[in-house]
Amino acid sequence: MSATENTNPTADLGSGKGLEIRLLGKLEITLRGKRLVLPTKHAACLIALLALEGRMEREIVAARLWGERGEAQARASLRQTIYHVKKALASVGACALEVDRGSICLRQGVFRTDVVKFLEDLRTSPVAAVSQCNGELFGNLGRVDPAFQEWLDAERRSFSAKITKGMETASENCRDRKDWKGLEKLASSRLEHDPFDECALRDQMEALSKTGKRAGALALFEEFRDRLRSSLQIEPEAATNELRGCIASRNAEEPENESCGAMSKTSVTPQGNNGIALVGSMQTFVIHNLAERATTKPALNNLLDEIVRVGSEQLRQQASQSIAEFLSTQGLS
């Protein structure tokens, strides 16, 4: 059972009534405010493993926690660790461990993890949930057995993916409601979670632009582009560049163009002669963007000829108006 799919534990975390297992940021177990003192790291890992996975075969637990040892030694280590865990749980009045000859588990209904609570909060208050997340799973473990580390790495990836998915769903809901302030907060939290999340960047740029903060949106793009170049030696995606151009091409006093928002989610592949992309609501933006590069009157005329060749009459009219406006602003008319 995956770490983020185990919804069986139902004890009231934080109420003092159940065993509270903290897994985010550091591994800590308490009952009624009293911290459970465990003699070894393996004892703590055993409780955490069972809290996330549910009932497990003893052989699997032994191999995961003591994979570097021989089979017989791993089984002996598991028996000893079970003894220590039972003793520690009894010291705080918690009979939470169930063991038989073939399997081991934590009793359902007597414990809850902060992972379960976090995922519940992520569905109802995503910004608050992410801002209160205290770190990655088992952030303070240090070196562990390679088999356990492999499992932990997979759990961390799964948990991170669920955070991303939850935030993306919440962002879509904000966009549908035209809640631009909410979208901006969510996008900002997503970028804190993953500084290279370009979908989150486009969401934040769109939200800033929609609320009249065009300069902030453009500055955000520049900062992100510099981060990509310095850290990964790559350039932003085409959709990100297109959104940036759409926002930049609009005069500050003009109302927000709805086509700019569409670019935060989709990318248009250039088609036609010389790679001119003239598709749907992006037509006017592409013309503006190309016109910015064609700073001489002959170059603009050549652009218009190309548009006539590959575009419709309606597009030609749009292009003519856009280029006329650009010529006027540049003193080229």
Side-chain angles (χ1 to χ4, degrees):
M1 184 178 295
S2 170
T4 53
E5 292 174 352
N6 185 3
T7 58
N8 289 328
T10 56
D12 187 4
L13 187 66
S15 69
K17 297 179 181 178
L19 194 66
E20 302 172 12
I21 304 176
R22 177 178 175 181
L23 302 172
L24 297 176
K26 65 178 181 178
L27 180 55
E28 185 177 79
I29 302 144
T30 60
L31 179 66
R32 293 186 291 273
K34 185 176 181 179
R35 189 169 69 89
L36 183 67
V37 179
L38 296 165
T40 65
K41 181 190 297 184
H42 282 95
C45 289
L46 174 61
I47 292 178
L49 181 64
L50 297 175
L52 292 175
E53 291 281 13
R55 181 174 292 276
M56 297 182 67
E57 298 297 318
R58 293 176 64 132
E59 291 182 358
I60 295 176
V61 175
R64 187 165 292 171
L65 292 176
W66 294 278
E68 291 181 313
R69 303 180 184 181
E71 183 177 341
Q73 189 177 3
R75 288 199 302 267
S77 296
L78 176 59
R79 287 195 298 270
Q80 187 177 28
T81 301
I82 289 173
Y83 168 78
H84 287 308
V85 169
K86 282 186 172 181
K87 185 176 180 180
L89 289 171
S91 70
V92 293
C95 299
L97 198 64
E98 291 185 351
V99 183
D100 58 35
R101 293 180 61 85
S103 65
I104 180 173
C105 71
L106 291 176
R107 289 176 53 206
Q108 295 184 12
V110 300
F111 76 97
R112 192 176 185 186
T113 72
D114 56 351
V115 170
V116 171
K117 184 177 186 303
F118 172 85
L119 293 176
E120 291 174 352
D121 292 343
L122 186 62
R123 288 189 289 270
T124 57
S125 304
V127 174
V130 172
S131 65
Q132 294 170 10
C133 185
N134 295 317
E136 66 178 359
L137 285 169
F138 304 177
N140 65 333
L141 269 187
R143 187 190 180 281
V144 292
D145 187 275
F148 187 82
Q149 186 65 56
E150 182 179 356
W151 168 82
L152 179 56
D153 289 342
E155 288 296 306
R156 285 172 173 170
R157 289 192 297 270
S158 175
F159 184 65
S160 180
K162 286 186 178 292
I163 294 177
T164 299
K165 180 63 177 177
M167 297 294 281
E168 288 176 349
T169 299
S171 295
E172 288 293 331
N173 292 337
C174 283
R175 184 181 289 105
D176 292 342
R177 300 193 306 269
K178 299 188 183 302
D179 177 9
W180 306 121
K181 290 184 179 180
L183 181 63
E184 197 277 328
K185 289 181 180 179
L186 284 166
S188 179
S189 294
R190 288 165 60 192
L191 283 169
E192 289 180 7
H193 176 65
D194 179 1
F196 301 104
D197 184 347
E198 264 187 81
C199 288
L201 171 72
R202 291 193 291 270
D203 279 349
Q204 190 170 11
M205 289 174 62
E206 177 190 4
L208 289 171
S209 179
K210 294 287 189 183
T211 54
K213 301 174 183 176
R214 189 174 65 124
L218 297 176
L220 190 68
F221 170 85
E222 300 296 333
E223 177 185 335
F224 185 87
R225 183 179 62 184
D226 291 344
R227 184 159 63 248
L228 284 183
R229 288 175 174 175
S230 63
S231 300
L232 304 178
Q233 291 75 52
I234 60 175
E235 294 294 319
E237 297 172 359
T240 307
N241 286 318
E242 289 162 1
L243 178 60
R244 185 266 172 202
C246 180
I247 294 172
S249 67
R250 182 175 59 84
N251 291 332
E253 66 274 8
E254 289 179 353
E256 179 62 52
N257 189 337
E258 288 298 324
S259 64
C260 289
M263 290 176 212
S264 70
K265 296 187 290 182
T266 60
S267 174
V268 175
T269 302
Q271 301 175 8
N273 295 337
N274 297 327
I276 294 181
L278 305 171
V279 182
S281 62
M282 291 184 61
Q283 293 173 345
T284 302
F285 156 68
V286 174
I287 293 163
H288 273 297
N289 195 37
L290 292 173
E292 287 182 357
R293 304 175 192 173
T295 56
T296 66
K297 190 170 183 178
L300 290 168
N301 288 332
N302 290 337
L303 172 62
L304 181 57
D305 290 340
E306 183 71 11
I307 290 169
V308 170
R309 235 180 4 256
V310 300
S312 65
E313 179 60 27
Q314 180 182 6
L315 176 59
R316 182 188 181 285
Q317 293 174 1
Q318 292 176 345
S320 297
Q321 181 179 357
S322 297
I323 291 176
E325 292 173 356
F326 183 77
L327 284 171
S328 177
T329 59
Q330 297 296 314
L332 297 174
S333 56

